[in-house]
């Protein structure tokens, strides 16, 4: 549990950095780092980050790992998925179903 809370706090810190970097990308002050990325592993990492937050809010949080490889800026894709997930976890306080993203290979 302590590890999950620690990951959640790191996630909040990352969220602030994410917003700053997204603004840099919008201003073309940042160049994407294109690499092949395992989407299932990326989503699993995000799931671990948000499990403690969801549990504290009384939410049933699950992820669906879909095996896929994509060429993307891994850090930016993580950020794009993290932001709406963080927002929805802060909004919902009771069991609710929502899909943040569904990626089909």
């Amino acid at each position: 549990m302590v590890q999950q809370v620690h990951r959640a706090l790191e996630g909040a810190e990352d969220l602030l950095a994410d917003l700053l970097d997204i603004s840099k990308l919008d201003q073309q002050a940042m160049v994407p780092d294109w690499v092949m990325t395992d989407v299932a592993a990326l989503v699993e990492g995000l799931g671990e980050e948000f499990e403690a937050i969801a549990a504290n809010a009384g939410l049933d949080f699950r992820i669906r790992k879909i095996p896929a490889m994509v060429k993307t800026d891994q850090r930016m894709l993580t950020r794009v998925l993290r932001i709406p997930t963080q927002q929805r976890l802060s909004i919902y306080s009771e069991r609710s179903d929502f899909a943040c993203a569904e990626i089909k290979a």
Side-chain angles (χ1 to χ4, degrees), residues 5-34:
V5 171
H6 178 69
R7 291 194 91 182
L9 290 173
E10 286 178 337
E13 185 178 314
D14 289 343
L15 181 61
L16 294 173
D18 295 347
L19 294 172
L20 178 61
D21 283 348
I22 288 171
S23 70
K24 288 179 185 177
L25 188 62
D26 286 342
Q27 297 171 7
Q28 297 180 350
M30 184 175 169
V31 178
D33 179 23
W34 301 107

Side-chain angles (χ1 to χ4, degrees), residues 81-98:
L81 295 174
R82 179 184 288 127
I83 292 170
T85 305
Q86 179 68 42
Q87 290 172 338
R88 278 154 184 88
L89 286 176
S90 67
I91 292 170
Y92 292 102
S93 60
E94 58 187 53
R95 187 181 182 282
S96 240
D97 293 329
F98 76 93

Side-chain angles (χ1 to χ4, degrees), residues 36-87:
M36 291 304 293
T37 301
D38 180 350
V39 176
L42 186 141
V43 170
E44 184 175 13
L46 283 172
E48 290 172 2
E49 179 180 319
F50 288 114
E51 282 175 348
I53 296 169
N56 286 336
L59 298 173
D60 180 22
F61 184 81
R62 293 169 297 198
I63 59 168
R64 182 185 318 176
K65 294 184 285 185
I66 300 170
M69 294 293 292
V70 295
K71 186 175 183 179
T72 185
D73 183 311
Q74 184 175 0
R75 190 169 178 178
M76 292 306 294
L77 178 58
T78 301
R79 292 172 176 178
V80 166
L81 295 174
R82 179 184 288 127
I83 292 170
T85 305
Q86 179 68 42
Q87 290 172 338

